[in-house]
Amino acid sequence: MSWFLPPGVSTYAADIDRLYYIILVITGVVFILTEALLIYFLIRYRKRDGGRAEYSHGNTKAEVIWTAIPFVIVVALGLMSKGLWDEVKDPAHLPTDGYEIAVSARQFEWEARYPGSDGTLGTDADFTTVNRIHVPVNRPVVIHLTAEDVIHSFSVYDFRVKQDAVPGMTIRFWFEVTEPGEYELGCAELCGFGHYSMGGTVIVLSEPEFQAWEAERIALHEGSTRQVAAAQPDEEDQ
Amino acid sequence: MSAHVKATDFEITGFAGEPHDPPGFIRTYIFSTDHKMIAKQFLLMSLVFLLLGGTLALVIRWQLGFPGSPLPGGGVLPETMAPGGIILPEFYNSLVTMHGTFMIFFAIMPLLVGVFGNLLIPLQIGAPDMAFPKLNALSFWLAVPAGFIMLASFAVEGGAAGAGWTSYAPLSASGEYTGVYLGQQLWLVSLFILGFSSITGAVNYITTVITMRAPGMTWFRLPLTVWALFVTALLALLAMPILAGALILLLADQTIGTTFFLPATGGEPLLWQHLFWFFGHPEVYILILPSFGIVSEVLSNGARKPIFGYHAMVLAIIAIAFLGWIVWGHHMFMSGMNPMLGTTFMLTTVVIAVPSAIKVFNWLGTLWRANIHFHVPFLHSVAFVSLFIIGGLSGIFMASAPVDIQIHDTYFIVAHLHYVLFGGSLFGIFAGIIYWYPKMFGRMMNRTMGYIHFAGTFVFYNLAFFPMHNLGLQGMMRRLYDPNQYEYLAPLQGMNTFISYSVFALFAFQLLFAVNFLSSLRFGKKAEKNPWNANSLEWSVASPPPHGNFHGWPTVYRGPFEYSVPGRDQDFHPQWEPPDGEVAPRMAGSPAPEPTGFSTGAHEEEES
Amino acid sequence: MSHVASMAVEEPARDRGFEMYNAKLGMWVFLLSEVMFFTSLIGAYIILRFAHPDQFAGPGEVLNVPLTAMNTFLLICSSVTMVKAFAALQHDDQKGLKLWLLATIVMGASFVGVQVYEYIHLSHIGFVPNAEAYSAAGGAIYGSTFYLMTGFHGLHVTIGVLCLIWILWKANRGAFHSKRVAGVEAMGLYWHFVDLVWIVLFTIVYLI
Ligand code: HEA
Ligand code: HEA
Ligand code: CUA
Ligand SMILES: [Cu+2]
């Protein structure tokens, strides 16, 4: 049983974790303080024969203090969170130089569309993969997220990334991974009986590897007459 | 009261024309309009649903503890739910949905509002009954069919609703996504009826508290339970219709082909979430405020000390209720709602910690320099305080939107909601049931069993739910039929199994409570008027109180928390006891005062 | 001590909230809840309309504004007659009470009648809740919102009419007099509320 978060491998993971640990400390202190006081009072002021409780209706000074302190703390917390929240989620902060991928969620799989040879999304040069999303390392990735049927949620814990995929909306968000490797992609929003099995993989490749993979994909796509061919070999590509 | 009392008395009390000589069986036990009987009816209903919700939880825990292995005795379940006892994913979703729905709407809410609202409001303000006793009966007889409709949805084609207790659209808006058609519609209809029941109840409570307080019962002499229930009623009055509206729109999408939440033809999925949570967050405070009241009362009684900062406690309740209306977006940080809105909701949300802080610290203040008698309800109240702190503090993590990115829709949320709802609301309910049991049934609950049930519940409750925080931090999603589908979650199976074992033990101790509750009805030690040496008005009359409660109107001389007043040999000073030297004007069975004129109306109300 | 005397000492201490009898206060409280109910429907309408302006037809393109304006006027008149009925009751004018109640019932009923006629007509021209033909962008939320909002208001009027009939029946049995006004007054509050809601709905659904 651990209070530590699994290691994060995106640029903003560290900041999110820091905020988490700050809150953990604050709440931890409050927790220990209040519970300790509670236990102490229970023991110290247990029934004494002939004993009598102090007849007091309160103490305005004390009450003002323990209203003011939490207020300061939580507002400070709120403001601290705001900056980071904007950096991560505010569309205005989306990287302009990011590698763009259109991800579409459906019961119960993830389809990713990559800008093909022409380098822009939404043309028929785009090629697709299913449940295996390839991204370059150390380069911002901008996801255009949507859903075809119900609400799903794109979540990669190692990246500290979570974003609902809502049918009828295209939501853009970004992340930048700092470690090559394979990371599990999960669906965090209940989306039907297959919700629990709607997993995928995000494959993070070093720049050269990624270039190579992309080139191979583009070639495959150009060569293929049938769109689906793009997805076929993908299943066993490693 | 007996028939000789003039109708005008009743006109004040609002139950004109009701003969007060003992009514027949049907009128006493079935279609009773006596608030005490209606409270008992609500108690029976909601305890049964609590047991049901708990049983559903056991099945959930079985699947999570031992994924894919056949449920003991599960063979009896139909193929569509659990072939050979092995739970199907879609059935798991229904289980989770129904567990949440029953617990929130049919167990905790009726327990707090239906039971304690009905029992305590008239008794503690010194009224003979509710303002509208028939409306009161109606609100119970609406809740029962609602419950059975919800239950029936398990049996229908396609099974019960499986879109979560939050029933997010579009998943819930069309059966094509889940195969659940009728089940989801019954869910909607049932909650609509229940909402109507709560609204009628709320109208009754609010009117009663405003117009029917006994002479001398000023606003700031009200017990905190009444304050909490009054504010809760206001929340229910204003929140339930929002839910009703949302339910209607969703039902229309399901049945007559409208497209409010279906994007294909112009609908807005997020609209449902906004409507639901605009109701939903006030709802969660409906589920905690009455427990705040109960706990304040029991703590003060056990501590033999006036509640610390009465006025601050009242203001805190009001502040929480008010802030509760402007935080709903904290459930939607990841929903695709405009992140700027997210920032606003984040700030309003953290501020709610402040009035909550006032409550927590004032409870601690109440114990400071007290003279504590550790009776069973007191222990439950202490547990409430300690566990609500945990649940509340975990709320702070989620209130910080960036942190919520990691823990949204994970078991961290599940942990939070059980700490506030079980550790909070339900422990408060245990305290309340045991504390007022003698007033309801004229007997005390068994103390030994009480202590054992408390100890077992407290220990195994924490063993069951505390680890869920960590499951969440490791990234285990909610509403997940089988975590082992994910490589990174497979290692958590051990902890899930441990949680399940703890839950089975927890459940066993709940059965002990059931045994204690039922056996004490018969064998419990007879209770005198005021077994806890308490101050509020309900303890001035027999246990259980006669039909009509008081002889006329009692007179109130002081606040409800006058414990350990210096210079008195008793360490409590009841609200009804005249200042030394004076005699009580009318405690001696003489009829109530003349109505002050403006009460004529109540008459027809009741002929209706 | 006699309870007159006891009254004397107690009544000052007795705080009865707003000087209002239960049925009337209860109705006010209930109407608060009704306000929130229509708020949820109207709120949904406003959100959808701002999100998809192109899915809503302009004023008068589909809906018959003059007809409904006439109907609105009818409902407002029925509020006036309701006031008259209450006034009559306060002067113990039983005959007036019954006549004005009857007038209110008739107008309320005809309001519902006109609405039913309107529905039938609209469905004949194919404007049904899930009709996609009636908005530029081919979405169905125009019909959806129209029928749900006007429908639930219509339901409220219908219930109101039924209650009015019951009140009239009781008035016939002489249940009310200037000292027993609650039933009529509470009924009036409800009726004026329903009227008010309609004026809002008429404005946002038909005129804007
Ligand atoms: C009784 C019910 C109840 C109560 C009282 C609360 C209280 C709070 N809740 Fe909780 N909540 C739920 C029931 C409740 N909640 C439920 C059921 C859900 C899940 C819904 C679903 O199914 O999705 C939920 C979900 C939920 C979320 C959404 C999480 C997500 O889905 O991602 C959030 C986010 O902000 C939140 C926050 C809070 C906060 C800030 C409080 C605050 O009111 C807590 C305030 C109390 C304290 C803070 C502790 C005492 C204070 C002190 C000791 C003073 C010192 C403190 C500091 C200085 C910090 N809750
Ligand atoms: C107050 C509300 C409440 C209560 C008390 C509980 C109690 C329990 N809950 Fe639940 N739970 C919710 C509200 C509640 N829950 C909600 C809202 C959700 C979210 C649903 C969703 O995601 O949509 C949820 C979800 C939820 C999940 C997550 C499922 C998932 O996301 O996949 C789990 C998993 O372990 C769980 C387990 C339990 C367990 C083991 C208990 C145990 O504590 C149960 C113990 C048994 C009892 C409490 C019964 C005791 C009975 C009596 C005392 C009556 C005595 C009878 C007589 C006298 C006649 N609950
Ligand atoms: Cu897709 Cu859950
Ligand atoms: Cu909330």
Side-chain angles (χ1 to χ4, degrees):
Chain A
M1 192 150 111
S2 145
W3 281 97
F4 294 97
L5 294 169
V9 294
S10 71
T11 46
Y12 49 61
D15 304 327
I16 291 179
D17 294 4
R18 188 179 311 105
L19 191 56
Y20 162 77
Y21 289 116
I22 292 173
I23 299 178
L24 185 61
V25 170
I26 296 176
T27 52
V29 170
V30 172
F31 168 72
I32 291 167
L33 210 96
T34 44
E35 304 284 356
L37 219 55
L38 183 62
I39 294 165
Y40 171 72
F41 286 169
L42 289 179
I43 298 166
R44 171 74 179 72
Y45 301 117
R46 68 188 179 282
K47 169 152 164 264
R48 296 136 286 166
D49 28 72
R52 211 173 168 91
E54 169 164 314
Y55 180 69
S56 141
H57 286 87
N59 175 332
T60 317
K61 191 142 152 286
E63 290 176 54
V64 171
I65 294 172
W66 66 52
T67 309
I69 294 177
F71 182 79
V72 176
I73 297 176
V74 293
V75 170
L77 254 180
L79 296 177
M80 258 191 281
S81 309
K82 183 189 181 310
L84 182 54
W85 177 246
D86 293 348
E87 180 200 335
V88 177
K89 291 280 185 184
D90 182 356
H93 288 64
L94 278 173
T96 46
D97 58 343
Y99 182 76
E100 311 217 331
I101 305 176
V103 173
S104 175
R106 68 173 93 94
Q107 292 177 324
F108 296 97
E109 57 187 12
W110 305 93
E111 180 181 280
R113 238 173 354 92
Y114 306 76
S117 45
D118 59 5
T120 51
L121 277 172
T123 65
D124 47 18
D126 298 358
F127 62 87
T128 63
T129 65
V130 172
N131 284 342
R132 295 176 64 80
I133 301 176
H134 294 63
V135 303
V137 73
N138 296 327
R139 188 159 130 207
V141 176
V142 176
I143 304 276
H144 301 234
L145 186 62
T146 187
E148 290 167 28
D149 36 41
V150 302
I151 300 178
H152 305 266
S153 191
F154 183 104
S155 62
V156 184
Y157 282 85
D158 306 297
F159 301 172
R160 308 291 185 263
V161 160
K162 187 174 285 140
Q163 177 58 60
D164 286 6
V166 184
M169 288 172 82
T170 299
I171 301 164
R172 292 183 306 154
F173 68 98
W174 73 280
F175 56 82
E176 179 176 343
V177 193
T178 54
E179 290 283 329
E182 297 206 352
Y183 302 95
E184 277 186 276
L185 160 69
C187 177
E189 185 64 62
L190 177 60
C191 54
F193 67 86
H195 165 59
Y196 72 104
S197 61
M198 191 169 164
T201 315
V202 180
I203 297 121
V204 183
L205 302 170
S206 68
E207 200 58 43
E209 284 174 322
F210 185 77
Q211 305 284 359
W213 175 84
E214 197 181 18
E216 170 203 334
R217 267 0 192 55
I218 291 173
L220 234 172
H221 178 68
E222 308 289 294
S224 70
T225 42
R226 293 173 304 109
Q227 191 67 8
V228 284
Q232 235 66 66
D234 171 73
E235 303 311 334
E236 67 272 2
D237 92 329
Q238 219 52 266
Chain B
M1 293 188 204
S2 55
H4 80 271
V5 183
K6 297 177 303 308
T8 49
D9 296 332
F10 299 122
E11 289 186 345
I12 290 185
T13 66
F15 56 100
E18 298 221 3
H20 266 233
D21 30 45
F25 176 84
I26 298 282
R27 290 283 264 71
T28 313
Y29 296 102
I30 314 296
F31 295 112
S32 168
T33 55
D34 180 325
H35 70 99
K36 298 180 292 299
M37 179 51 63
I38 294 173
K40 290 181 201 174
Q41 294 172 318
F42 264 115
L43 183 62
L44 182 65
M45 179 196 87
S46 38
L47 282 178
V48 168
F49 283 133
L50 181 64
L51 198 54
L52 173 69
T55 315
L56 295 177
L58 286 186
V59 183
I60 292 174
R61 276 325 311 182
W62 176 267
Q63 166 60 24
L64 292 173
F66 318 96
S69 50
L71 177 74
V76 300
L77 293 171
E79 291 291 306
T80 53
M81 295 179 181
I86 295 169
I87 295 157
L88 293 174
E90 46 273 59
F91 180 51
Y92 180 85
N93 291 348
S94 301
L95 283 170
V96 173
T97 305
M98 286 294 138
H99 165 68
T101 306
F102 272 115
M103 282 299 194
I104 286 196
F105 292 105
F106 294 98
I108 302 302
M109 206 173 159
L111 273 167
L112 287 172
V113 181
V115 175
F116 294 109
N118 272 304
L119 178 71
L120 295 180
I121 289 179
L123 279 172
Q124 291 195 325
I125 68 176
D129 203 316
M130 285 287 179
F132 312 115
K134 285 185 179 158
L135 207 59
N136 210 17
L138 177 69
S139 102
F140 174 71
W141 285 110
L142 282 171
V144 172
F148 281 108
I149 292 173
M150 190 61 79
L151 202 52
S153 68
F154 271 113
V156 301
E157 165 94 61
W165 85 282
T166 54
S167 283
Y168 277 11
L171 187 64
S172 57
S174 164
E176 72 189 88
Y177 303 124
T178 52
V180 181
Y181 289 85
L182 190 52
Q184 187 69 48
Q185 291 160 21
L186 289 176
W187 185 89
L188 293 162
V189 171
S190 164
L191 285 191
F192 186 84
I193 299 172
L194 186 80
F196 205 84
S197 153
S198 324
I199 291 171
T200 53
V203 169
N204 218 338
Y205 299 159
I206 294 167
T207 313
T208 308
V209 173
I210 291 177
T211 63
M212 293 175 63
R213 281 165 292 122
M217 181 57 84
T218 59
W219 282 100
F220 288 114
R221 283 182 185 172
L222 287 173
L224 283 173
T225 335
V226 177
W227 261 114
L229 287 163
F230 178 69
V231 175
T232 304
L234 278 168
L235 282 178
L237 181 85
L238 301 176
M240 291 320 265
I242 304 281
L243 176 65
L247 293 172
I248 286 166
L249 300 187
L250 191 52
L251 190 59
D253 278 6
Q254 276 265 357
T255 51
I256 64 171
T258 61
T259 62
F260 293 101
F261 308 117
L262 293 164
T265 36
E268 286 286 327
L270 290 194
L271 175 61
W272 167 263
Q273 293 181 35
H274 279 292
L275 288 172
F276 184 87
W277 288 120
F278 186 57
F279 144 81
H281 193 86
E283 166 71 12
V284 305
Y285 289 126
I286 292 174
L287 295 169
I288 198 76
L289 291 183
S291 279
F292 281 176
I294 293 170
V295 163
S296 307
E297 197 132 337
V298 176
L299 275 183
S300 168
N301 174 279
R304 314 309 296 165
K305 189 165 172 289
I307 194 78
F308 198 94
Y310 175 91
H311 288 82
M313 290 300 243
V314 173
L315 291 178
I317 291 176
I318 294 170
I320 291 174
F322 175 76
L323 288 170
W325 286 101
I326 52 174
V327 301
W328 77 89
H330 65 216
H331 297 271
M332 299 172 62
F333 287 141
M334 308 304 139
S335 67
M337 168 183 75
N338 180 338
M340 297 303 99
L341 275 175
T343 311
T344 327
F345 283 120
M346 173 162 62
L347 291 170
T348 53
T349 300
V350 287
V351 171
I352 290 195
V354 176
S356 313
I358 297 176
K359 298 215 73 84
V360 168
F361 292 129
N362 282 13
W363 284 322
L364 291 175
T366 307
L367 298 180
W368 170 72
R369 298 207 181 157
N371 184 33
I372 299 169
H373 296 46
F374 289 92
H375 51 58
V376 182
F378 177 82
L379 288 175
H380 282 281
S381 308
V382 172
F384 171 98
V385 175
S386 63
L387 298 177
F388 173 73
I389 292 173
I390 299 178
L393 291 176
S394 64
I396 300 298
F397 287 78
M398 304 173 291
S400 166
V403 177
D404 194 49
I405 294 174
Q406 183 72 342
I407 56 184
H408 172 64
D409 268 331
T410 68
Y411 266 69
F412 196 93
I413 311 304
V414 177
H416 164 74
L417 74 89
H418 286 93
Y419 263 87
V420 282
L421 282 172
F422 189 128
S425 312
L426 193 54
F427 269 91
I429 287 166
F430 283 140
I433 290 180
I434 301 166
Y435 187 72
W436 279 289
Y437 190 93
K439 202 41 78 179
M440 275 188 281
F441 302 106
R443 292 176 186 276
M444 310 293 288
M445 278 177 81
N446 178 290
R447 278 201 23 254
T448 328
M449 274 196 264
Y451 284 123
I452 298 172
H453 164 252
F454 168 76
T457 308
F458 187 77
V459 170
F460 287 104
Y461 163 79
N462 282 291
L463 289 179
F465 289 101
F466 200 77
M468 289 187 184
H469 292 105
N470 305 84
L471 291 180
L473 293 174
Q474 304 311 314
M476 178 172 166
M477 299 90 158
R478 317 165 54 166
R479 300 162 172 178
L480 205 56
Y481 164 71
D482 179 2
N484 300 293
Q485 288 291 318
Y486 290 95
E487 271 170 41
Y488 75 107
L489 294 181
L492 300 175
Q493 185 53 51
M495 192 181 284
N496 269 311
T497 313
F498 170 82
I499 291 175
S500 294
Y501 281 124
S502 316
V503 166
F504 300 152
L506 174 65
F507 190 87
F509 279 96
Q510 302 318 309
L511 296 182
L512 179 63
F513 178 83
V515 170
N516 188 355
F517 183 96
L518 296 171
S519 62
S520 301
L521 286 173
R522 213 159 201 305
F523 311 109
K525 148 168 157 302
K526 277 231 175 292
E528 67 273 27
K529 270 187 176 180
N530 190 357
W532 310 107
N533 294 336
N535 286 334
S536 41
L537 288 176
E538 74 269 34
W539 306 109
S540 70
V541 292
S543 313
H547 198 53
N549 299 343
F550 304 91
H551 309 288
W553 294 96
T555 308
V556 176
Y557 297 94
R558 60 188 62 78
F561 297 110
E562 292 301 294
Y563 290 103
S564 304
V565 183
R568 290 176 52 86
D569 37 10
Q570 283 179 323
D571 69 350
F572 63 110
H573 199 181
Q575 291 187 278
W576 64 87
E577 212 167 274
D580 310 348
E582 250 179 71
V583 277
R586 275 185 307 93
M587 291 306 292
S590 67
E594 296 298 332
T596 37
F598 46 79
S599 284
T600 40
H603 208 95
E604 297 91 325
E605 212 307 309
E606 273 323 306
E607 282 174 5
S608 53
Chain C
M1 70 173 62
S2 88
H3 58 248
V4 184
S6 69
M7 286 287 299
V9 295
E10 280 158 22
E11 219 34 52
R14 186 92 193 274
D15 160 10
R16 286 279 197 62
F18 330 123
E19 305 275 301
M20 217 189 282
Y21 54 80
N22 291 347
K24 187 174 174 184
L25 179 60
M27 179 53 76
W28 274 114
V29 175
F30 174 70
L31 290 183
L32 278 180
S33 166
E34 286 280 41
V35 169
M36 292 306 272
F37 175 73
F38 282 101
T39 304
S40 68
L41 293 187
I42 294 171
Y45 173 83
I46 291 171
I47 291 172
L48 288 168
R49 181 139 187 191
F50 272 105
H52 308 278
D54 55 347
Q55 293 217 353
F56 290 78
E61 283 177 22
V62 178
L63 305 172
N64 182 340
V65 176
L67 175 71
T68 315
M70 185 277 288
N71 215 17
T72 311
F73 179 70
L74 198 63
L75 200 59
I76 296 172
C77 294
S78 76
S79 260
V80 177
T81 55
M82 190 69 222
V83 174
K84 287 276 189 195
F86 183 59
L89 174 57
Q90 282 173 317
H91 300 98
D92 272 324
D93 167 8
Q94 294 289 339
K95 191 155 165 303
L97 170 66
K98 291 175 210 160
L99 281 178
W100 287 120
L101 279 177
L102 191 63
T104 316
I105 292 170
V106 171
M107 282 191 269
S110 21
F111 174 88
V112 178
V114 173
Q115 212 176 19
V116 170
Y117 164 80
E118 183 191 22
Y119 278 16
I120 294 170
H121 168 72
L122 287 173
S123 59
H124 279 329
I125 63 168
F127 184 68
V128 290
N130 54 349
E132 304 204 3
Y134 279 86
S135 75
I141 52 179
Y142 185 38
S144 305
T145 48
F146 169 78
Y147 278 101
L148 261 286
M149 285 162 63
T150 55
F152 268 88
H153 176 269
L155 186 65
H156 277 76
V157 179
T158 315
I159 292 169
V161 170
L162 295 178
C163 296
L164 276 165
I165 292 172
W166 169 68
I167 293 270
L168 177 60
W169 176 73
K170 280 177 64 172
N172 241 331
R173 287 169 56 248
F176 305 107
H177 53 72
S178 53
K179 296 267 168 299
R180 299 267 251 76
V181 299
V184 181
E185 192 174 16
M187 183 67 230
L189 290 174
Y190 175 85
W191 193 252
H192 300 318
F193 168 79
V194 171
D195 188 0
L196 208 69
V197 171
W198 179 252
I199 292 170
V200 176
L201 287 184
F202 177 60
T203 315
I204 64 175
V205 176
Y206 288 79
L207 298 184
I208 299 176

